């Protein structure tokens, strides 16, 4: 199995497990504990992200301990590559996620989800400038198709509040944060001083520490953390954190093996997988719009990942006929 195939499989596993992560974290956030007061409703995504990354970091440390790499992983944080991964963690977690939550507060989930779907394009642009990660015209068309149908899927009409401009600024902040996370992480792993496993541990530990020591206190989250820690939901968050750890491991392996742009293109298919798993586990309704958009997101992703020759159907037909 060649490197590209391994990277593509890792990216698909990442998308599927992130979809499972998304479905079950949504169920957890719908529990009474997280919707009891307006303060908790606002803080819930931030606090759940904090615990999610913290538990994910614990799972990864257990995995690295079994591999005999735990001590070495922490040592990698002091290297030049490790510092780039730490910067990527700050962009993806504290910057990207915090901006995302604040955007949801000011312009709602639908608009925020639609705008944030543009992050692979931002990542692809900086990957082209910084890492010389080149795509063909057809690959760019595939990326555009995926982003377009995610936008269509997430968009819904409705009025915006008085702080809409601020909400759009925060949404763009999440786009920038998530796009740059992938590119910076790829740069940090390019000399192989830091493996995807090392990068993942550095990422989750850094994100959890910054959320726990800076982000949560800024928003006054410690006032409700005690109740959450003592609740039964903590067990479920710990298990969901395992899904997150597997997803990020696949994502980082894909970034390292097929490049950030193609890894992001496959990663965003989690939107389609989320719809599928929601239907399988909870019987969530699947409309014609959902089905069409999901199929087109996956088609766009395939076009983004494929080489030009793989997209030349005339050549493929001749090859098959021969």
């Amino acid at each position: 199995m060649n490197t590209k195939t391994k990277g593509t499989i890792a990216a698909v596993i990442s998308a599927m497990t992130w979809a499972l992560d998304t479905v079950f974290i949504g169920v957890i956030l719908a529990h009474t504990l997280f919707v009891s007061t307006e303060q908790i409703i606002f803080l819930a995504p931030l606090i759940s992200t904090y615990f999610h990354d913290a538990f994910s970091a614990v799972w990864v440390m257990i995995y690295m301990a079994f591999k005999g790499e735990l001590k070495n992983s922490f040592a990698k944080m002091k290297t030049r590559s490790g510092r780039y991964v730490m910067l990527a963690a700050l962009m993806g977690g504290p910057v990207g996620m915090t901006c995302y939550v604040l955007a949801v507060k000011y312009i709602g989930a639908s608009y925020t989800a639609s705008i944030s779907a543009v992050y692979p394009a931002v990542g692809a642009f900086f990957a082209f400038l910084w890492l010389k990660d080149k795509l063909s015209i057809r690959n760019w068309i595939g990326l555009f198709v995926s982003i377009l149908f995610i936008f269509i899927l997430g968009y819904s009409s409705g009025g915006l509040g008085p702080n809409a401009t601020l909400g759009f600024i925060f949404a763009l902040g999440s786009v920038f944060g998530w796009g740059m996370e992938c590119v910076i992480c790829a740069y940090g792993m390019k000399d192989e001083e830091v493996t995807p496993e090392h990068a993942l541990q550095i990422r989750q530990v850094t994100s959890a520490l910054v959320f726990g020591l800076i982000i949560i206190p800024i928003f006054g989250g410690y006032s409700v953390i005690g109740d959450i820690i003592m609740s039964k939901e903590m067990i479920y968050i710990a298990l969901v954190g395992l899904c997150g750890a597997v997803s990020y491991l696949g994502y980082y392996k894909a970034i390292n093996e097929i490049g950030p742009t193609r890894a992001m293109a496959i990663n965003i298919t989690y939107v389609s997988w989320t719809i599928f798993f929601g239907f399988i586990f909870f019987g969530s309704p699947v409309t014609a719009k959902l089905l069409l958009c999901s199929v087109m997101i996956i088609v766009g992703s395939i076009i983004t990942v494929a080489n030009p020759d793989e997209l030349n159907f005339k050549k493929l037909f001749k090859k098959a006929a021969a």
Side-chain angles (χ1 to χ4, degrees):
M1 189 181 295
N2 60 37
T3 299
K4 181 182 177 182
T5 302
K6 289 180 181 179
T8 301
I9 291 173
V12 172
I13 292 173
S14 171
M16 293 177 68
T17 49
W18 191 253
L20 287 170
D21 186 295
T22 301
V23 169
F24 288 112
I25 204 69
V27 173
I28 292 170
L29 290 176
H31 284 193
T32 305
L33 174 65
F34 290 101
V35 295
S36 55
T37 67
E38 186 176 343
Q39 180 193 24
I40 292 181
I41 290 173
F42 172 68
L43 289 172
L46 287 174
I47 293 175
S48 64
T49 300
Y50 162 55
F51 282 125
H52 177 279
D53 284 2
F55 279 118
S56 178
V58 171
W59 287 116
V60 175
M61 284 191 283
I62 293 172
Y63 169 70
M64 296 302 282
F66 273 111
K67 291 190 66 175
E69 285 287 317
L70 182 60
K71 183 177 179 181
N72 191 30
S73 293
F74 283 108
K76 295 290 185 181
M77 297 178 78
K78 300 177 182 179
T79 65
R80 179 176 178 273
S81 297
R83 286 193 289 270
Y84 273 109
V85 175
M86 291 173 70
L87 177 59
L90 293 176
M91 297 302 296
V95 174
M97 188 61 193
T98 302
C99 285
Y100 186 83
V101 171
L102 291 172
V104 170
K105 175 180 173 63
Y106 290 118
I107 60 175
S110 294
Y111 282 102
T112 302
S114 297
I115 297 169
S116 66
V118 182
Y119 89 88
V122 173
F125 174 73
F126 284 104
F128 173 74
L129 291 181
W130 195 4
L131 303 175
K132 309 304 179 185
D133 187 14
K134 297 180 180 179
L135 296 179
S136 69
I137 296 298
R138 291 179 182 180
N139 295 145
W140 279 106
I141 291 173
L143 181 60
F144 173 77
V145 168
S146 288
I147 293 172
L148 173 63
F149 279 92
I150 290 175
F151 188 91
I152 293 171
L153 187 61
Y155 177 81
S156 65
S157 59
L160 295 175
N163 296 310
T165 301
L166 187 60
F168 278 111
I169 291 173
F170 281 126
L172 292 175
S174 71
V175 168
F176 181 75
W178 289 341
M180 290 303 296
E181 174 190 13
C182 187
V183 177
I184 296 172
C185 187
Y187 186 80
M189 292 188 292
K190 72 182 182 71
D191 58 3
E192 299 184 357
E193 184 178 23
V194 170
T195 67
E197 289 90 349
H198 294 146
L200 176 59
Q201 181 174 313
I202 294 170
R203 193 268 183 211
Q204 298 300 64
V205 169
T206 302
S207 179
L209 287 175
V210 174
F211 264 107
L213 299 177
I214 299 175
I215 304 297
I216 300 299
I218 287 176
F219 290 96
Y222 279 131
S223 61
V224 298
I225 274 186
D227 294 334
I228 295 174
I229 290 176
M230 299 303 294
S231 71
K232 63 181 180 181
E233 280 80 5
M234 282 299 292
I235 298 174
Y236 301 124
I237 294 175
L239 293 175
V240 172
L242 178 59
C243 273
V246 174
S247 177
Y248 262 104
L249 181 58
Y251 187 42
Y252 277 29
K253 280 183 176 293
I255 291 170
N256 191 46
E257 293 176 357
I258 61 175
T261 303
R262 291 179 172 83
M264 286 185 290
I266 298 176
N267 181 257
I268 58 177
T269 64
Y270 84 87
V271 176
S272 302
W273 288 111
T274 298
I275 294 167
F276 173 75
F277 288 131
F279 173 75
I280 294 296
F281 291 113
F282 303 106
S284 301
V286 178
T287 64
K289 176 183 175 182
L290 286 176
L291 188 59
L292 173 63
C293 290
S294 297
V295 170
M296 292 308 298
I297 290 166
I298 293 174
V299 168
S301 176
I302 291 171
I303 295 173
T304 305
V305 174
N307 289 328
D309 285 343
E310 293 170 337
L311 296 173
N312 191 323
F313 297 108
K314 188 175 181 180
K315 284 185 178 180
L316 288 175
F317 180 76
K318 286 182 178 179
K319 186 176 180 181

